[in-house]
Each structure stands twice: as structure tokens, then as C-alpha cells.
Amino acid sequence: MALQRMGIVSNYTHIRQCCVAVVGVGGVGSVASEMLTRCGIGRLLLYDYDTVELANMNRLFYKPEHAGLFKTEAASRTLTEINPDVAIEQFNLNVTTTSGFEAFLDSLCEPRDVNDASSSIPRRSRVDLVLSCVDNYEARITVNQACLELNQTWFESGVSEDAVSGHIQKLVPGENACFECVPPLVVASGIDERTLKREGVCAASLPTTMGLVAAMLVQNALKYMLGFGEVASYVGYNALKDFFPTMAVGANLECRNSICRRRQQEYKAFMVSPEQVAKLK
Ligand code: ATP
Ligand code: ZN
């Protein structure tokens, strides 16, 4: 409310109507979910297939007594204790499997009209934003595909294997680069991501870097949903130099994803339609 009085946000209570999907409730996703819960978000959809391990205690959020519980279950319990007004839906699934992807898409959509099950009407997303907090390429590609299909804006986030850098990126289908428009270096160089993760060798992890990335993610989610400030296209974080590079990442006309190319055409048509130009005058 003070944010409203001070003229930062014109209608903070709108947050009670907002729904955010958090894919991956690990080091970044759990903290982002807690921040949204403390901000009074209306509804949170949580996705993860993993359980809490004692080895995860170098991160924030989970406690030793959560060990063995599904992350979605442990997160729901804690978040409900913090703010019982948030409606939390948990989805204990792997979004990259065929059935997981179907369940993921279904959960993001308004329920279909029972009389119109085979309808060709495009499905409508019921969420305001999807936050990707997963830690692998396959899962990010899956979130990208779902969001392109539903024409859903989402944010991607990541923390490097050495724990000292991270980033967030906004992806509006058709307007910005999708996750396949500009493949990450690992993919562009044809390296199999799985060979990077050596057996028995843990990726480094710092609660500081993960907390910062979660904060940048939620800060921009709030700006996007409540319409204040400028929403970042891309913010990087280099912990060794305290450097935060920003940039805009445009869509690639030759993206290999056909839905991305279609969304780009729709976006262009919308931008230059005579009606739009007339309205802007
Ligand atoms: P580590 O791999 O070091 O144990 P982690 O698996 O907890 O860490 P984080 O970066 O902290 O990794 O969080 C990423 C989260 O995303 C994890 O909880 C993981 O289970 C989840 N995740 C990754 N891929 C998928 C997927 N395909 N479907 C659902 N959740 C996923
Ligand atoms: Zn693309």
C-alpha cells in the first residue's frame, strides 16, 4: 500500500488477481515463490519432479525436516504457512516427458468448454506469467514450446555451473527472441549438456547468487504484472566483478521453431496494421 501512496504503483492490490507459474522449485524457483507469496500474489502454480535432499541445504528456503518430501509439497506447506491467502497448486511432474508436457499445458490453460472439446479455438492461458527456474536445456526448450503455443510471456533464469554468474531474460512470443532463436553457446557448439555434468561432481552453488537471480526475476515479474518501471529484456549478473550487463535480444526471422516464426509474423502484422497506426495518432 505504501508503494501506492508513494506513487510507485497505481494499483498494488491487483497482485491479488495475478497468477504465476513457477517451473522448477529449486535454488531459484523456491526463493522466487517465497518472494511472490510475501508480496501477496493471488495464485501460484508450482512444478517440479524432484525431492528435497540434505545436500540442498546450502541454498535458501528448504529446511532439513523437508528432506525426502517432494519439493512442490514442501514448498506448498511453507508458503501456505507464510501467507494462507495465496492459492497454491502443486504439479509433481517432469515437464519434458510426453505426458508431463500435456499435463503442463493443460494446467496452464483455462479449462476447455466440455461441449467444445475438439474445438479449433486456440487455448487460452490462465496465467499472467511463467517463470522458468529449471537448470537444464531440455526443460527450458519445453517451457519455450509451451509458451509459444499459448502465446504466453515468460521469464527465463539461470545460474552458471561455477555459481558466480546468472541471468534473467524476458520472452514475449513474436516480439523478443524465443529460447530457440539464439541457442546458448553449449548447444550452438554441439556439446551434449549431459557430458558437462560429470558423475559424482556437483555443480557449485551459492545461495547469494541464486537469491540475487530470484530477486531480479521477481522484481521484473512485479513490474510486468503491476505496470510500473521498465521491465528488463535481459539482465546478467557477474558476481566476481559486480557487473550487471543488460541488453535487448530480438527475435530471429530464421528461428528453427515454426511457431516462433508464426508469432513473429502475427506481431509484425499487429504492429503495422493501419488500425493500430490510426489509434496511436
Ligand atoms: P542440483 O542439480 O545441484 O542438485 P537442483 O536439481 O536442486 O540442484 P536447482 O538449480 O536448484 O537444481 O533447481 C532446478 C530445479 O528445476 C530442480 O528442483 C529440478 O528438479 C527442477 N527441474 C529441472 N528439470 C525439470 C523438469 N524437466 N521438470 C520439472 N522440474 C524440473
Ligand atoms: Zn524463436
Side-chain angles (χ1 to χ4, degrees):
M1 286 310 117
L3 281 172
Q4 214 160 298
R5 266 199 319 278
M6 291 175 188
I8 303 291
V9 182
S10 60
N11 180 15
Y12 188 81
T13 52
H14 177 65
I15 197 157
R16 293 290 306 135
Q17 266 77 58
C18 293
C19 172
V20 174
V22 180
V23 189
V25 276
V28 172
S30 60
V31 177
S33 302
E34 179 174 346
M35 288 173 174
L36 286 166
T37 297
R38 291 185 188 272
C39 287
I41 191 83
R43 184 173 292 269
L44 270 182
L45 316 186
L46 306 178
Y47 301 83
D48 208 299
Y49 58 73
D50 205 6
T51 51
V52 179
E53 288 171 40
L54 279 177
N56 296 144
M57 294 306 135
N58 62 341
R59 288 150 201 200
L60 302 171
F61 191 76
Y62 293 111
K63 298 182 193 164
E65 61 261 35
H66 292 142
L69 287 177
F70 283 116
K71 288 182 180 173
T72 49
E73 171 63 26
S76 301
R77 284 189 198 176
T78 306
L79 298 174
T80 304
E81 269 170 30
I82 293 171
N83 184 349
D85 292 335
V86 181
I88 297 175
E89 297 179 32
Q90 13 169 331
F91 300 92
N92 182 42
L93 51 82
N94 180 347
V95 294
T96 63
T97 62
T98 310
S99 59
F101 181 69
E102 281 307 313
F104 178 45
L105 264 187
D106 276 351
S107 67
L108 290 174
C109 288
E110 303 280 6
R112 273 193 200 279
D113 184 339
V114 277
N115 302 316
D116 201 16
S118 64
S119 159
S120 55
I121 300 168
R123 305 188 67 185
R124 266 174 54 95
S125 169
R126 65 177 174 129
V127 309
D128 294 286
L129 207 49
V130 173
L131 303 182
S132 170
C133 305
V134 291
D135 59 350
N136 60 87
Y137 177 74
E138 223 185 333
R140 288 186 174 97
I141 282 287
T142 306
V143 176
N144 188 54
Q145 186 65 25
C147 291
L148 283 172
E149 286 186 24
L150 298 176
N151 213 356
Q152 171 65 55
T153 295
W154 63 290
F155 276 92
E156 136 72 3
S157 69
V159 174
S160 62
E161 294 268 303
D162 62 8
V164 284
S165 64
H167 72 274
I168 63 153
Q169 183 178 344
K170 180 183 71 168
L171 297 100
V172 183
E175 184 180 341
N176 309 125
C178 88
F179 195 69
E180 288 179 78
C181 278
V182 193
L185 196 60
V186 174
V187 177
S189 350
I191 300 168
D192 181 347
E193 191 187 21
R194 277 163 292 195
T195 63
L196 288 175
K197 293 192 173 156
R198 283 157 294 157
E199 200 60 39
V201 179
C202 249
S205 141
L206 284 170
T208 43
T209 308
M210 287 188 166
L212 258 152
V213 170
M216 297 198 303
L217 190 62
V218 175
Q219 196 76 284
N220 280 282
L222 292 174
K223 289 192 281 182
Y224 174 81
M225 292 187 293
L226 300 177
F228 68 98
E230 275 175 37
V231 181
S233 288
Y234 176 101
V235 190
Y237 169 58
N238 177 333
L240 300 183
K241 299 197 165 165
D242 280 321
F243 174 51
F244 293 83
T246 57
M247 61 174 135
V249 197
N252 173 4
L253 285 171
E254 287 162 25
C255 179
R256 66 179 181 180
N257 189 309
S258 60
I259 308 181
C260 174
R261 295 197 304 272
R262 194 173 84 223
R263 295 288 177 222
Q264 291 184 46
Q265 282 167 1
E266 289 166 4
Y267 178 71
K268 259 195 223 132
F270 173 75
M271 289 302 282
V272 298
S273 81
E275 293 85 351
Q276 282 304 120
V277 175
K279 269 188 201 157
L280 289 172
K281 278 182 184 162

